[in-house]
Amino acid sequence: MELQLQPILLDGVPPKRPIVIAGPCSAETEEQVMSTARQLASKGIKIFRAGIWKPRTKPGGFEGVGVAGLPWLQRVRQETGMYVTTEVATSKHVEEALKAGIDILWIGARTSANPFAMQDVADALKGVDIPVLVKNPVNPDLELWIGALERINNAGVKRIAAIHRGFSSYDKKIYRNLPQWHIPIELRRRIPNLPIICDPSHIGGKRELIAPLCQQAMDLGFNGLIIESHCNPDCAWSDASQQVTPDVLDYILSLLVIRKEKQSTENLSALRKQIDECDDNIIQELSKRMRISREIGTYKKEHDMTILQTDRYNEILDKRGSQGILCGMHPEFLKKVFEAIHEESVRQQMEIINK
Ligand code: PEP
Ligand code: MN
């Protein structure tokens, strides 16, 4: 299904890359919200985030201030002119947020993983024209993420963006949530005009990782960033270790190198021509290899041999892996390439044998 999308404009114009959304993980008190918001506005931030309903992994944690936080967000809007956004997870949240005039809604990772919850939120959004940001589901399932986006789009919402916040894993060594960049990259390939916003705070889980993750997202051509920022991060009631002060946020943003997405210089076209030639040659050689492989298939059939000759397969993987190191390539990379080639060879030989 193709999504019917319209661009999300800020003050009537398409925002410059990156669109930045910043604010605390949670709205805690009116003072904390206002102080953070004023500082962020003074740094030129245009969209303010704060969670008022907080999905927590275990009971007993801070579950958000609830509807009491909505007037604080209205105050942010009035006093700073920033757009405001909060997380919604149920139809009731949607109704309350819309009643309070929240500008943009986001859907959290635990909600986008649950089709029933997604449909409930989507039903509450029928006929409502508000931008909706859909975080990736906690599990690395692109189809589930696209399904969540489709449900929102089917409700008639056209201003939609995706938020990449990483994926849960048992092993939390470096990242709180693994980035698995190939998933948002594939999302971009499948739905090219869908803006993608990176959430380095929830991917990294710690302050030091925010700057490099932001840069990576920009280098991959993502459209925006959603970053948790708090006036006093160490005392935050949720996600303290990943929040940064508005000052630090401003510093991180000032260091970002934003490369142009399309910059076709002559040099680049010449290099790309060379790459195209290499790719042509690779395909020619592969096709020659497959022809030989089919001949081997015929031989195996005539001599009643099995297709899979494990010793020979291991020999190829080892030999090519070490050769790859000498040529400056990662052995795992060449192993993957030869596994794929071998799989296709086996498939072609099966065709011969079964003829
Ligand atoms: C959040 O943005 O504060 C949040 C709860 O995020 P996620 O749904 O990505 O865990
Ligand atoms: Mn958070």
Side-chain angles (χ1 to χ4, degrees):
M1 193 199 105
E2 232 183 82
L3 296 194
Q4 303 298 315
L5 299 174
Q6 276 168 8
I8 299 175
L9 306 176
L10 288 189
D11 303 327
V13 292
K16 248 181 54 201
R17 204 166 72 93
I19 312 170
V20 178
I21 303 171
C25 175
S26 305
E28 299 161 4
T29 64
E30 187 163 8
E31 293 66 42
Q32 167 252 6
V33 166
M34 291 315 299
S35 158
T36 310
R38 283 192 200 106
Q39 293 179 47
L40 288 170
S42 77
K43 305 288 180 198
I45 300 296
K46 297 270 182 298
I47 310 176
F48 182 78
R49 65 150 283 158
I52 59 171
W53 296 288
K54 300 302 299 177
R56 305 317 303 269
T57 304
K58 289 185 180 147
F62 172 58
E63 294 192 324
V65 292
V67 287
L70 289 169
W72 308 344
L73 293 182
Q74 287 172 332
R75 203 175 147 200
V76 168
R77 212 168 170 274
Q78 277 152 16
E79 291 185 22
T80 69
M82 284 191 283
Y83 294 92
V84 293
T85 177
T86 198
E87 172 171 347
V88 289
T90 65
S91 47
K92 187 93 184 94
H93 294 165
V94 174
E95 278 160 34
E96 298 286 1
L98 293 175
K99 232 179 5 193
I102 298 298
D103 300 290
I104 300 169
L105 304 177
W106 93 73
I107 292 166
R110 290 152 198 83
T111 309
S112 65
N114 178 345
F116 289 133
M118 274 312 302
Q119 196 54 53
D120 180 46
V121 169
D123 289 343
L125 283 168
K126 275 213 176 95
V128 181
D129 184 22
I130 187 169
V132 178
L133 318 175
V134 182
K135 288 200 172 199
N136 64 256
V138 280
N139 49 327
D141 185 341
L142 178 61
E143 299 311 317
L144 197 57
W145 196 1
I146 293 180
L149 291 157
E150 283 178 359
R151 284 179 203 276
I152 297 297
N153 197 220
N154 284 347
V157 176
K158 297 210 165 58
R159 291 181 293 158
I160 304 178
I163 298 178
H164 167 232
R165 52 77 79 194
F167 302 89
S168 275
S169 74
Y170 183 67
D171 185 17
K172 294 188 170 49
K173 270 205 188 107
I174 303 180
Y175 300 106
R176 177 176 176 195
N177 291 292
L178 296 178
Q180 309 216 46
W181 296 103
H182 63 281
I183 297 177
I185 289 171
E186 177 60 12
L187 178 66
R188 163 72 27 107
R189 197 186 68 76
R190 296 263 297 268
I191 316 176
N193 52 348
L194 175 73
I196 305 182
I197 296 169
C198 180
D199 175 345
S201 312
H202 290 91
I203 295 176
K206 33 181 140 21
R207 281 165 212 152
E208 315 82 85
L209 288 178
I210 292 179
L213 284 165
C214 287
Q215 187 60 57
Q216 248 174 307
M218 288 302 100
D219 292 344
L220 288 171
F222 284 21
N223 307 76
L225 299 165
I226 177 165
I227 304 174
E228 287 188 342
S229 179
H230 190 291
C231 54
N232 188 0
D234 285 332
C235 298
W237 298 1
S238 59
D239 290 352
S241 52
Q242 70 194 32
Q243 304 207 52
V244 291
T245 60
D247 268 340
V248 170
L249 174 72
D250 189 49
Y251 180 64
I252 292 173
L253 295 176
S254 74
L255 293 182
L256 281 182
V257 179
I258 309 295
R259 298 183 176 86
K260 290 198 196 84
E261 245 173 308
K262 289 199 182 78
Q263 196 181 38
S264 182
T265 64
E266 268 175 38
N267 282 350
L268 191 58
S269 321
L271 290 170
R272 286 200 170 137
K273 237 191 204 126
Q274 288 185 43
I275 291 275
D276 285 345
E277 267 169 39
C278 287
D279 288 350
D280 279 343
N281 290 337
I282 292 174
I283 293 175
Q284 295 297 331
E285 287 302 312
L286 278 177
S287 127
K288 191 161 123 200
R289 194 186 189 283
M290 291 304 158
R291 248 189 340 263
I292 300 171
S293 186
R294 281 199 299 274
E295 274 179 45
I296 296 180
T298 310
Y299 182 93
K300 286 177 180 165
K301 185 176 184 178
E302 285 166 6
H303 293 80
D304 229 3
M305 288 168 73
T306 56
I307 289 183
L308 188 62
Q309 301 283 322
T310 311
D311 292 348
R312 168 71 180 145
Y313 181 35
N314 283 334
E315 180 197 320
I316 293 180
L317 292 185
D318 289 348
K319 195 158 101 189
R320 300 308 173 192
S322 355
Q323 200 181 356
I325 302 178
L326 292 175
C327 300
M329 281 176 277
H330 199 286
E332 278 304 309
F333 161 68
L334 274 192
K335 193 166 161 252
K336 268 194 229 149
V337 170
F338 277 91
E339 274 168 1
I341 293 176
H342 184 261
E343 195 180 316
E344 176 61 10
S345 278
V346 169
R347 195 192 62 78
Q348 298 227 6
Q349 293 191 358
M350 293 283 268
E351 270 181 17
I352 303 270
I353 294 221
N354 294 324
K355 237 191 221 161

